Amino acid sequence: MDRRNFIKVCGAGAAAIAAGVHTQLVYAGTVKDFPKVKLVDADGKPLKASSLSKEEAYVFGYPFVGTPAFLIALPSAAPAGAALKTESGEEYSFPGGVGGNKNIVAYLAVCTHQLAHPEKKGSVIAYTAGNSETAGRAAAITCCSHNSAFDPADGGRVITGKAPQPLPGIRLEHDAASDEIYATGMYGADMLEDFFKKFKGNLNKEFGIGKYREAPAGTVQAVLLSKYSADADRC
Ligand code: FES
């Protein structure tokens, strides 16, 4: 990804909020806009923020068809403002959760250590609602490949392990009138090209030659990790 494409967002979005669309704002740091897509279920019906399964990760392909992301309704609000830093030193702040309860967050489901991610055959990265041995607490995203854990209520910050930087965030919008959820961009670490380079062969097999690099158009299906992957490790 071309770093020159990253832009700074400084308090934009007031007009959208006035219109009833609550956008996650990143007040400083690295943000990249991607085409806005509506999150829908396996039948193509819009996911409603107030109807999401609580504390279960949904998987959706964003910002590209082949890049898995987690959508999670946390047990409580995820307040904005945490100061975060990428491995290369870029600073940014967590925009917080969206939805009526401000508890809905999304992250790239790719571990920042060695890029482990959910696959159809299984996943070593998952949201762990109960107590995690790795994280030493509940409500964490854990990667059992080498035991890293991330805090989804705090911008994907590393709790423990070899992961060198927070999980990249997926910027969300919530339409208060329709209760629908949209993905609009990414913030944080820039690791998509590394991911494509490492897994190109597998991604071509899973999604079709070159399809993994296509952007979803209009809508994107989000399915529970328990349905997306045959098995998910918790640690
Ligand atoms: S790939 Fe996740 S901890 Fe190593």
Side-chain angles (χ1 to χ4, degrees):
M1 189 180 304
D2 185 346
R3 286 175 191 277
R4 288 171 302 180
N5 286 336
F6 280 80
I7 58 169
K8 295 212 174 208
V9 176
C10 301
I17 289 170
V21 176
H22 296 265
T23 307
Q24 284 183 324
L25 300 178
V26 181
Y27 292 102
T30 56
V31 180
K32 187 174 193 312
D33 293 323
F34 283 98
K36 178 175 174 177
V37 295
K38 183 188 294 188
L39 303 189
V40 299
D41 66 16
D43 297 322
K45 293 183 186 144
L47 283 179
K48 302 289 178 124
S50 55
S51 303
L52 290 179
S53 289
K54 276 254 179 75
E55 295 212 79
E56 281 200 85
Y58 292 77
V59 180
F60 62 107
Y62 194 83
F64 298 106
V65 168
T67 50
F70 282 152
L71 174 78
I72 306 167
L74 296 170
S76 54
L84 300 160
K85 196 187 274 190
T86 67
E87 188 177 16
S88 58
E90 293 159 315
E91 296 180 353
Y92 61 103
S93 64
F94 176 45
V98 301
N101 297 321
K102 304 290 181 214
N103 65 325
I104 298 170
V105 295
Y107 296 94
L108 196 67
V110 176
C111 180
T112 57
H113 177 222
Q114 290 184 353
L115 312 183
H117 58 281
E119 298 177 73
K120 297 281 161 60
K121 63 185 180 192
S123 181
V124 294
I125 185 167
Y127 175 77
T128 301
N131 197 43
S132 152
E133 196 178 332
T134 295
R137 46 163 279 189
I141 293 173
T142 53
C143 176
C144 306
S145 190
H146 311 94
N147 296 322
S148 287
F150 306 88
D151 188 348
D154 197 27
R157 187 190 303 280
V158 178
I159 299 169
T160 187
K162 296 180 177 178
Q165 58 187 346
L167 288 176
I170 303 295
R171 188 178 57 194
L172 298 175
E173 274 184 21
H174 173 243
D175 185 325
S178 66
D179 203 26
E180 293 170 353
I181 310 161
Y182 298 82
T184 66
M186 283 188 69
Y187 57 91
D190 173 6
M191 45 191 265
L192 296 181
E193 286 304 328
D194 292 339
F195 177 75
F196 289 148
K197 197 170 163 190
K198 184 165 182 177
F199 298 107
K200 184 176 175 183
N202 288 350
L203 293 168
N204 274 329
K205 269 189 215 152
E206 186 160 347
F207 296 98
I209 303 292
K211 295 271 185 206
Y212 64 91
R213 293 196 76 125
E214 291 180 1
T219 61
V220 62
Q221 286 188 350
V223 299
L224 289 171
L225 176 62
S226 54
K227 296 211 164 78
Y228 184 88
S229 292
D231 192 22
D233 291 346
R234 301 264 180 341
C235 51

